[in-house]
Amino acid sequence: MGVEVIELNSVKGKNLKIFDHMVAQLSFGSIRTAEYDGAPCFVKYFSSKDFARSNCGMQLYENLKAHLLADSPDESFLWPIDLSNVEKNSFCYVINRDFSLYRSLADMMEGTDNYKSCETIVNAALCLTKAFTMLKKKSHYFLYMTEDDLFIHPQSGRIIIANVEFLKKEEEPGGLWELLNVSRLFPPVCVRKERLPNERSNCYLLSVLLFEILYLSHPLEGRCAAKYPFMGEKENMEVYGSRPCFIYDHEDASNRPVRGVHINMYIRRNMYPLYIQEHFSRVFSKEALSKNLAYTSVDKWYELFRELRDLLDFCPDCGREYFRQSGQRVCRNCKKELNDSFQKTTSLRWTDG
């Protein structure tokens, strides 16, 4: 049986051949192997099903056309090199990245041991924050994203952001965003469709993604989400829009992680220094979530993760990597005494209570 080949012409007059070998499935579209003007390449391909499911296929296509005339904000973005014409409600754009060594954040959240090292985690957080810093400088923000659209290199921490067709400079009521179901990565006020995405929603999006990179769990998914066997539109609205509650809210313990369900959260919850925990608690506090307060700036996140990088250390006996924390006297791995104890102001750790 022969390999299915889809042939399209590009807006730059080049020939494109898209093969049926799928490298990665994204929230909308997929990464496939292809040939561009006779040379092997990768493309992001929107099938007619993707086109119809998005409810805004032509708007996404026109947005990509505009991106062709501009430079990528940062090397982490999967920016189009060329774009095909639309034929039978399908199209693709040419990319210059190889996905073979990357894993989607969605896939990583399904596992428990994904990163090569603690340094990898910090590098991924810094790379993502740097990318969002460049978006802020160019006044761009996302209209849609899921964990299927962020890819991480498990060894180096390099990232790929693979949904630039949803990246805009401005959006008017009745535009592309009105056609989309709002992602769980966006602030409650956007989930409720009370406010359009903007710079502040980008800050919230960054905060959720950083939490997920560190803990491989969603900050609002505890008991309230676990009680539903299926998360439909009504359930999503409750958990992420109308009744959001941080899983380690200091005053409300109703949405704590569930043992045996939120495994990653239990494994990783006290892995990082207290100031990281405290900052996430402020970002996702009831007050911040309910009043749509200004979320942590990208610059502040960058500062916090640079500080976290400085706390990386190794046990002199077993070589295990860890973050220095206040009061830590022995290695959690080999139980041998650590020479230099680290002192920093502390408060309560995240607990089940």
Side-chain angles (χ1 to χ4, degrees):
M1 192 176 205
V3 176
E4 180 186 358
V5 178
I6 300 167
E7 293 200 41
L8 299 170
N9 292 314
S10 82
V11 296
K12 293 183 179 180
K14 307 291 186 179
N15 177 256
L16 274 161
K17 292 182 179 179
I18 301 104
F19 305 118
D20 62 0
H21 176 228
M22 186 183 299
V23 178
Q25 181 67 56
L26 310 179
S27 61
F28 288 99
S30 59
I31 305 299
R32 297 196 181 191
T33 55
E35 282 186 6
Y36 175 62
D37 201 25
C41 72
F42 293 93
V43 298
K44 182 170 182 181
Y45 175 67
F46 284 80
S47 68
S48 56
K49 289 183 180 179
D50 296 317
F51 193 97
R53 188 169 64 87
S54 71
N55 294 323
C56 53
M58 280 311 301
Q59 290 94 327
L60 295 178
Y61 181 80
E62 293 299 325
N63 202 31
L64 286 165
K65 261 190 173 180
H67 289 340
L68 278 179
L69 303 176
D71 294 329
S72 175
D74 183 78
E75 63 183 3
S76 298
F77 293 101
L78 201 66
W79 209 251
I81 297 172
D82 198 353
L83 177 66
S84 77
N85 295 316
V86 178
E87 294 187 22
K88 297 181 180 179
N89 284 342
S90 66
F91 64 90
C92 72
Y93 61 92
V94 184
I95 57 179
N96 63 349
R97 302 292 292 274
D98 182 353
F99 276 70
S100 59
L101 298 178
Y102 286 76
R103 294 188 64 191
S104 73
L105 179 57
D107 285 343
M108 295 183 77
M109 290 172 70
E110 290 295 318
T112 56
D113 186 16
N114 298 282
Y115 298 109
K116 176 186 177 183
S117 65
C118 293
E119 184 179 15
T120 303
I121 300 170
V122 179
N123 285 345
L126 284 170
C127 286
L128 182 66
T129 308
K130 175 177 173 285
F132 272 70
T133 300
M134 300 311 295
L135 288 185
K136 180 182 176 183
K137 289 182 178 179
K138 292 183 175 289
S139 300
H140 278 73
Y141 51 85
F142 281 103
L143 302 175
Y144 188 82
M145 179 182 279
T146 74
E147 293 87 351
D148 289 312
D149 301 312
L150 178 62
F151 289 78
I152 301 172
H153 193 287
Q155 280 73 45
S156 68
R158 293 191 301 270
I159 67 166
I160 297 175
I161 301 173
N163 63 328
V164 299
E165 59 273 13
F166 291 101
L167 195 60
K168 293 275 285 183
K169 263 200 169 183
E170 58 184 312
E171 181 69 11
E172 296 297 328
L176 185 155
W177 184 73
E178 291 291 319
L179 301 173
L180 296 166
N181 292 320
V182 181
S183 163
R184 67 179 187 166
L185 302 182
F186 282 71
V189 69
C190 289
V191 174
R192 298 193 302 267
K193 289 280 189 175
E194 294 173 4
R195 187 165 299 180
L196 293 168
N198 54 23
E199 184 179 321
R200 284 205 291 179
S201 65
N202 248 24
C203 291
Y204 181 89
L205 170 61
L206 173 62
S207 297
V208 175
L209 289 173
L210 288 173
F211 186 95
E212 292 184 337
I213 286 173
L214 266 65
Y215 298 101
L216 299 177
S217 300
H218 190 285
L220 305 183
E221 288 183 4
R223 292 175 194 149
C224 294
K227 68 184 180 183
Y228 296 118
F230 172 75
M231 292 290 287
E233 186 176 341
K234 178 182 176 182
E235 292 78 13
N236 279 317
M237 179 59 70
E238 177 188 331
V239 173
Y240 311 114
S242 60
R243 298 178 62 188
C245 180
F246 180 48
I247 55 176
Y248 282 112
D249 186 279
H250 289 323
E251 299 177 357
D252 185 349
S254 65
N255 195 31
R256 291 289 186 262
V258 178
R259 289 189 182 276
V261 177
H262 305 110
I263 299 171
N264 284 326
M265 196 65 235
Y266 272 100
I267 291 173
R268 311 173 79 85
R269 64 176 173 178
N270 291 320
M271 176 176 169
Y272 307 99
L274 291 171
Y275 79 91
I276 293 290
Q277 296 182 17
E278 291 166 353
H279 201 78
F280 279 121
S281 293
R282 287 194 292 271
V283 168
F284 300 118
S285 69
K286 280 284 181 66
E287 186 179 21
L289 292 173
S290 63
K291 296 182 179 179
N292 191 36
L293 299 179
Y295 301 107
T296 298
S297 69
V298 291
D299 296 333
K300 180 62 177 177
W301 276 126
Y302 197 75
E303 174 189 327
L304 290 171
F305 281 104
R306 285 188 59 140
E307 182 179 349
L308 184 62
R309 184 173 60 185
D310 292 339
L311 298 182
L312 279 170
D313 210 339
F314 296 87
C315 172
D317 287 289
C318 69
R320 183 72 173 264
E321 190 181 26
Y322 68 98
F323 296 105
R324 296 195 305 275
Q325 300 194 46
S326 176
Q328 186 173 356
R329 297 290 188 270
V330 298
C331 174
R332 294 181 180 178
N333 183 49
C334 70
K335 309 303 180 185
K336 296 290 184 63
E337 186 175 348
L338 299 173
N339 295 328
D340 298 318
S341 61
F342 175 70
Q343 298 299 323
K344 189 176 178 70
T345 302
T346 65
S347 64
L348 294 176
R349 290 184 178 276
W350 287 344
T351 64
D352 295 340

